[in-house]
């Protein structure tokens, strides 16, 4: 009968409407999760950029330190050479040259 058909139709319609609401809720959750993931990705990208900048600064600082170390090693070598020359005993010729310069 028509009433049974309409009753069945109403039940099926109510089920479909309920399923539609569930799907809309799931879509809303997915959209929220996607927005959250987009925000998180942006934060990670910003963190990566910051770390890359810090790494660049550290590489520059490291290069300057290496240059300084090279300079200090060369200076120390030169200094040690000068000290060795000063520690060498004077030869008779050196003594004569000193006496000539004092006169």
């Amino acid at each position: 009968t028509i009433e049974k058909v309409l009753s069945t139709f109403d039940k099926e319609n109510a089920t479909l409407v309920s399923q539609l609401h569930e799907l809309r809720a799931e879509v809303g959750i997915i959209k929220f999760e996607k927005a959250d993931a987009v925000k998180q990705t942006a934060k990670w990208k910003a963190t990566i950029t910051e770390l890359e900048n810090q790494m660049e600064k550290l590489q520059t600082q490291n290069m300057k330190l290496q240059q300084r170390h090279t300079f200090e090693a060369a200076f120390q070598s030169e200094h040690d050479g000068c000290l060795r020359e000063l520690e060498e005993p004077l030869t008779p010729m050196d003594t004569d040259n000193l006496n000539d310069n004092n006169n």
Side-chain angles (χ1 to χ4, degrees):
T1 66
I2 292 179
E3 289 176 5
K4 283 186 179 181
V5 171
L6 287 176
S7 174
T8 304
F9 177 76
D10 285 342
K11 288 178 185 175
E12 288 177 4
N13 189 36
T15 302
L16 288 174
V17 168
S18 175
Q19 288 175 346
L20 178 63
H21 288 301
E22 288 175 14
L23 287 173
R24 284 183 177 163
E26 286 181 33
V27 167
I29 290 170
I30 291 170
K31 285 181 179 179
F32 176 78
E33 288 174 346
K34 179 184 175 188
D36 193 43
V38 168
K39 288 177 190 174
Q40 187 61 47
T41 301
K43 286 180 185 178
W44 288 338
K45 286 181 180 179
T47 300
I48 288 170
T49 301
E50 184 181 328
L51 289 172
E52 287 173 342
N53 290 340
Q54 287 178 1
M55 185 173 69
E56 207 172 292
K57 287 177 185 176
L58 287 173
Q59 286 173 338
T60 301
Q61 202 173 25
N62 185 39
M63 186 175 58
K64 288 179 181 178
L65 286 172
Q66 286 176 345
Q67 289 172 346
R68 180 177 175 175
H69 176 72
T70 300
F71 171 78
E72 286 176 352
F75 179 81
Q76 186 65 44
S77 176
E78 183 72 23
H79 180 261
D80 292 347
C82 290
L83 285 178
R84 277 192 297 279
E85 285 180 21
L86 288 174
E87 291 172 351
E88 291 176 3
L90 293 176
T91 64
M93 184 188 289
D94 293 331
T95 306
D96 290 342
N97 287 338
L98 284 174
N99 289 333
D100 290 344
N101 287 339
N102 286 334
N103 291 333

